Amino acid sequence: MEGSTTSYSGTSRLGDAETRTRSLAVNQSGSGCNPLGILCLNYGVSLGYVGLLTIFVASKWVPVGLSLRLGFLAPLHGITMIGMVRNHDPLSRFFSYGWLPALGNLSYPQYIFQFVCFSVWGRAFASFGFWAFLAACSVVGYVAIQKPLKELNCPLRPKAWGLLAMGIVPLLFGGLGQLSSYSEKMYPPSPPSFDVSYVNGAIDTRLVIDEMADQSMSPNVQGSFYINPSLLFEPTTQRLVAVVRKHRMRVETMSGLEVEVKYLTASGVKASSGGVTYQRIIWESEIGISDVDPMSYTLLHSLKKLAVFPSQASFCEIRPTVSPHNLTIGQLVADGPQDPRLFISPTSELWLSFFAYPVTSSPGEACSSHTGGKMYHAQVPFHWQEDLSDGVLSHISTNASQLIGVDRVDYHKHGPGMNDTSFPVISSSFPKGYMTLRSEKNWLAFTHDATLYYITDMHPFTVTRVVNGSSSRVELARSYYYPLFTSTQMQHPDMVFHGGANPLLMPATDMRPSFFLGVFHTLENGTYVNYAFEFMDVDCKFEIIRVSRPLPLRLSPKRDASISRPLGFVSGLTQHPNTQRIIFSYGSSNAESRVLSMSLETLEGLFT
C-alpha cells in the first residue's frame, strides 16, 4: 500500500540508482554502460510514459490499483526521470522548447497548493474558475517563493514582477469565476451553509429540511427529526423526488405497579410480582414528500404529508417484553408508516413501499402475531407536484395496499413455546441464538421484465414476485444462501443481514451485461454497516454477483434513545440522468437526512 515502509524503502533504493545513473551519464557520457541502461538514458521518457499510458488505459477494462505511485508504478516513473538526464529523448526535447519549461516550473507549486485552493474555493473543482484560481496561486507561489529560494542572492527581476502581475489577474477572475457556470459531471455545488464533506471522490451533503415542513405535517415538537430519505428521479419529468420519514420518540412510564408478571424464557415460564415498571415507548412516524434540486439537494417546495392511511388511524400493538433483573416491562408502539422507499412500477409510475403495523378498529388492540408489522405499497398520485404548491390542500392522499402471501421470519432457532401466543409478555434476556419471531421490514422493490419483484430477505437471498393480476399478493421466485453471507455469519453468529435501498437497474455496456445495484446493511450488537451489492438474472434465477466495501457514511451524534449508538441507514438509491453519478440517500443516527453521491468510477473502486 502507498505510504508503507516497503514502498518508501523501495523508492529510496530507486533514488540511489537514479543518482548513480545521472553521475554516469554526466561524467562518462554513458560509455561502457549496459545497452539497457543506454536505452533508458536515450529514450526513458518515451518508454516511461508509454508504460504509464498503457496501464491507465488497461485499467478501464482490468481493475488495477493506481494509488501505488511509490510501489507498483515507481519503476516507470524512475525510467522517465532517467530519460530526462541527457535530454536526448524526443519527448524530453519537445518539452524543453519555448514556454513549456516555464509551464513546468508551475507544476510543483500547483501540487503544493491544490488542497489549499480546494479548501478556500469550497465548491466543485470541475469549474473553470477553480482551475484559474489554482493556476494563479501556482504562479504567485513560484515567483514569490520557489524562484527566490532558488536564487537566494538575486532580487526579483522586472520579468518576475510581470509574471506576478499576470498571476494576480487570473486570481481576480478566479474569484469572479465562483459565480460562473460549473461542470456537473464532477461535483455539484452546495450552499456554504450546508454540512458538506468530500471523501475519496464522493460528496456527502446534509439535507436541511427541518425548516421546510408544510403545515400539513404534524407540529415540530421537541424530538422530531426527518430521517431515512428516499430520492428517485421520476422517469417522465426527470424531476428528483424525495420522501422522508418524520420520526419522534416519546416514553410514557408508570412505576411501582403491584402486579404479577408471567413471561416466557428460553427455559420455560417464569413469574414475578411487585414493584413493576411499565414503559410504553412510542415511535410517532409519518411520511413527507417534496421535490429536490438535483444540483444543491435543497427542497424546491415545502415538505407535505403523504397520507397513506385514513386520518386518526389506530395501529395494532405488539406484545411487550420484560427485563427480569429489574422487572421493567417495555412495549414498543409504532404509530404510523415507517421508512418509505420510492420505486418505478412496471408501468413506469412512481410508487413507494413502507412498513407499518396494521390499522385496527380500536386503539390499543394487540397485533395478531409476533411479527406484528406488515409491508405496504402505494402509488404516488400523478398530480403530486401540483399538490405540493397548493396552499389550500392539507395533504396528499393515496391508498396503500398490504403485501400478502409471504410472511418472512428470521432463520434462527426459537425458544420453547415461542409459537404460543397465549403469553402477553416475552423475556428480553434470551440466550444468544434464541430470537423472537420477526418479519423483515426492509423489503426492496425492483422491476424486471414488466414484473414487480420484492427482495424479502437478504439471508437467505429471497426474491418474490407480485402475482399477475393482483396488486398486493406475492409468490416466491428465488431463495438461496449467498456463500459470503453464510461464511460471515458463521464467524459472527449475532450478525443479521437486512435490506437497505430499492435496487437500481444499471444498463448494459460493452464490457458487461445489465445488472441491478442495491444496498443492504448488517446489524451486530447495535452497529450498522452499509454495503452496495450487485445481482442479476442468471438463467431466470436472481443471484448476487458482487458485494462492495462499506459505504463511507457520516454518522451524526444520536439525539434520542431510539438507538444505542450512532448509525447510518441507506434507504434510497438513484442515478443522475445527466452526470450518471450514483446518489445514495440515508438517515444518520435517527437524527438527520443525508445524501452521498459518487461517480461510477468511485463506486467501482469500492468493489475492487
Side-chain angles (χ1 to χ4, degrees):
M1 295 300 294
E2 179 182 340
S4 67
T5 304
T6 303
S7 297
Y8 280 112
S9 62
T11 303
S12 176
R13 289 192 292 270
L14 182 62
D16 292 339
E18 291 172 10
T19 301
R20 295 178 183 179
T21 304
R22 175 186 291 270
S23 176
L24 182 65
V26 173
N27 298 328
Q28 301 180 14
S29 299
S31 60
C33 286
N34 184 286
L36 182 61
I38 294 295
L39 182 66
C40 291
L41 282 170
N42 291 336
Y43 302 102
V45 177
S46 297
L47 292 174
Y49 278 123
V50 168
L52 291 171
L53 180 62
T54 301
I55 292 178
F56 274 87
V57 171
S59 67
K60 294 293 184 180
W61 294 277
V62 180
V64 177
L66 297 180
S67 62
L68 306 178
R69 66 176 184 271
L70 299 182
F72 179 67
L73 300 181
L76 294 174
H77 288 297
I79 293 174
T80 302
M81 289 185 283
I82 290 173
M84 295 179 181
V85 171
R86 298 181 62 184
N87 201 28
H88 183 275
D89 188 282
L91 278 180
S92 178
R93 285 183 292 168
F94 172 78
F95 284 110
S96 64
Y97 292 146
W99 51 271
L100 292 177
L103 181 63
N105 289 332
L106 301 181
S107 61
Y108 190 70
Q110 178 177 328
Y111 174 76
I112 295 297
F113 284 118
Q114 58 179 327
F115 290 107
V116 177
C117 293
F118 181 73
S119 300
V120 173
W121 193 254
R123 59 176 292 176
F125 57 73
S127 63
F128 170 79
F130 170 79
W131 289 108
F133 179 63
L134 178 58
C137 291
S138 300
V139 170
V140 173
Y142 174 73
V143 174
I145 302 175
Q146 183 176 343
K147 186 176 177 62
L149 288 176
K150 292 169 63 178
E151 304 172 356
L152 291 176
N153 297 325
C154 299
L156 283 176
R157 300 173 182 176
K159 183 183 294 186
W161 283 110
L163 288 174
L164 183 60
M166 291 174 61
I168 294 176
V169 173
L171 186 64
L172 296 176
F173 280 104
L176 296 176
Q178 294 200 49
L179 303 177
S180 63
S181 62
Y182 55 88
S183 169
E184 60 182 18
K185 292 184 181 294
M186 295 290 287
Y187 294 109
S190 301
S193 60
F194 276 30
D195 179 9
V196 181
S197 64
Y198 301 86
V199 181
N200 296 331
I203 179 173
D204 195 297
T205 309
R206 182 170 62 94
L207 288 176
V208 183
I209 56 180
D210 303 67
E211 296 81 7
M212 291 290 290
D214 190 86
Q215 292 182 354
S216 65
M217 303 291 287
S218 61
N220 281 338
V221 295
Q222 184 176 5
S224 296
F225 305 106
Y226 295 92
I227 63 172
N228 302 352
S230 176
L231 274 62
L232 188 66
F233 281 94
E234 194 177 31
T236 54
T237 64
Q238 295 298 314
R239 287 189 173 273
L240 184 57
V241 193
V243 290
V244 297
R245 171 187 172 189
K246 185 173 184 179
H247 158 79
R248 180 189 177 221
M249 175 184 171
R250 57 189 178 91
V251 180
E252 298 175 351
T253 302
M254 292 181 290
S255 303
L257 300 179
E258 296 296 329
V259 296
E260 182 182 48
V261 179
K262 290 184 178 181
Y263 51 93
L264 189 63
T265 69
S267 58
V269 180
K270 300 289 185 180
S272 300
S273 62
V276 175
T277 299
Y278 175 71
Q279 284 190 336
R280 183 179 169 89
I281 306 168
I282 303 173
W283 281 24
E284 297 176 346
S285 181
E286 56 189 355
I287 300 174
I289 185 171
S290 185
D291 47 1
V292 179
D293 180 355
M295 294 295 102
S296 62
Y297 300 115
T298 56
L299 300 188
L300 297 175
H301 293 87
S302 297
L303 200 66
K304 184 160 288 190
K305 179 179 179 179
L306 184 61
V308 293
F309 293 121
S311 59
Q312 308 301 319
S314 299
F315 301 89
C316 74
E317 299 179 3
I318 60 175
R319 68 172 61 190
T321 59
V322 62
S323 298
H325 65 281
N326 60 4
L327 280 183
T328 297
I329 298 176
Q331 184 175 22
L332 175 63
V333 179
D335 186 7
Q338 304 176 33
D339 303 334
R341 294 176 175 88
L342 292 169
F343 66 92
I344 304 301
S345 73
T347 55
S348 299
E349 298 167 337
L350 187 64
W351 281 60
L352 81 156
S353 60
F354 59 91
F355 173 84
Y357 290 92
V359 176
T360 61
S361 57
S362 59
E365 184 175 333
C367 295
S368 59
S369 67
H370 289 287
T371 56
K374 304 293 181 181
M375 287 298 302
Y376 296 79
H377 64 192
Q379 181 181 354
V380 177
F382 290 107
H383 47 77
W384 69 271
Q385 189 179 354
E386 290 77 12
D387 292 346
L388 286 177
S389 56
D390 190 337
V392 179
L393 206 62
S394 61
H395 58 263
I396 301 176
S397 298
T398 185
N399 296 317
S401 300
Q402 177 182 324
L403 292 163
I404 56 177
V406 175
D407 190 14
R408 290 289 306 114
V409 297
D410 280 341
Y411 279 81
H412 293 276
K413 55 185 178 179
H414 308 291
M418 188 60 70
N419 292 321
D420 184 0
T421 60
S422 60
F423 290 94
V425 180
I426 300 176
S427 173
S428 63
S429 58
F430 275 95
K432 291 184 177 180
Y434 286 83
M435 298 185 66
T436 58
L437 290 169
R438 60 176 302 280
S439 287
E440 168 61 68
K441 69 174 187 176
N442 298 310
W443 288 22
L444 308 181
F446 67 96
T447 297
H448 178 62
D449 289 342
T451 302
L452 177 60
Y453 290 84
Y454 276 96
I455 299 173
T456 57
D457 209 337
M458 287 300 301
H459 186 57
F461 186 65
T462 305
V463 180
T464 62
R465 69 171 67 89
V466 176
V467 179
N468 290 334
S470 171
S471 62
S472 58
R473 180 170 292 278
V474 298
E475 62 184 6
L476 185 65
R478 169 69 161 152
S479 181
Y480 84 105
Y481 285 90
Y482 183 51
L484 175 62
F485 293 170
T486 301
S487 60
T488 301
Q489 196 169 56
M490 291 179 64
Q491 300 175 26
H492 303 270
D494 297 324
M495 177 180 289
V496 291
F497 300 81
H498 294 303
N502 286 333
L504 178 69
L505 177 62
M506 305 300 293
T509 64
D510 295 337
M511 303 306 302
R512 63 181 305 187
S514 62
F515 62 94
F516 287 93
L517 175 68
V519 179
F520 74 94
H521 67 266
T522 60
L523 174 59
E524 183 180 22
N525 299 324
T527 299
Y528 283 62
V529 183
N530 293 260
Y531 303 86
F533 74 101
E534 297 175 355
F535 69 96
M536 60 190 306
D537 186 1
V538 180
D539 297 329
C540 299
K541 295 180 180 179
F542 296 104
E543 293 187 1
I544 298 176
I545 54 177
R546 288 203 302 175
V547 175
S548 75
R549 296 195 297 273
L551 296 176
L553 307 182
R554 291 194 61 179
L555 304 185
S556 308
K558 68 187 192 76
R559 300 183 184 178
D560 62 24
S562 61
I563 55 176
S564 60
R565 64 189 66 184
L567 59 87
F569 175 66
V570 177
S571 48
L573 175 63
T574 190
Q575 185 176 26
H576 196 290
N578 298 328
T579 66
Q580 305 305 310
R581 291 178 66 83
I582 301 299
I583 302 172
F584 301 92
S585 49
Y586 67 99
S588 184
S589 301
N590 282 358
E592 64 178 1
S593 296
R594 303 192 66 88
V595 171
L596 173 70
S597 68
M598 64 182 66
S599 65
L600 292 173
E601 292 77 11
T602 300
L603 177 63
E604 178 63 27
L606 292 176
F607 281 95
T608 56

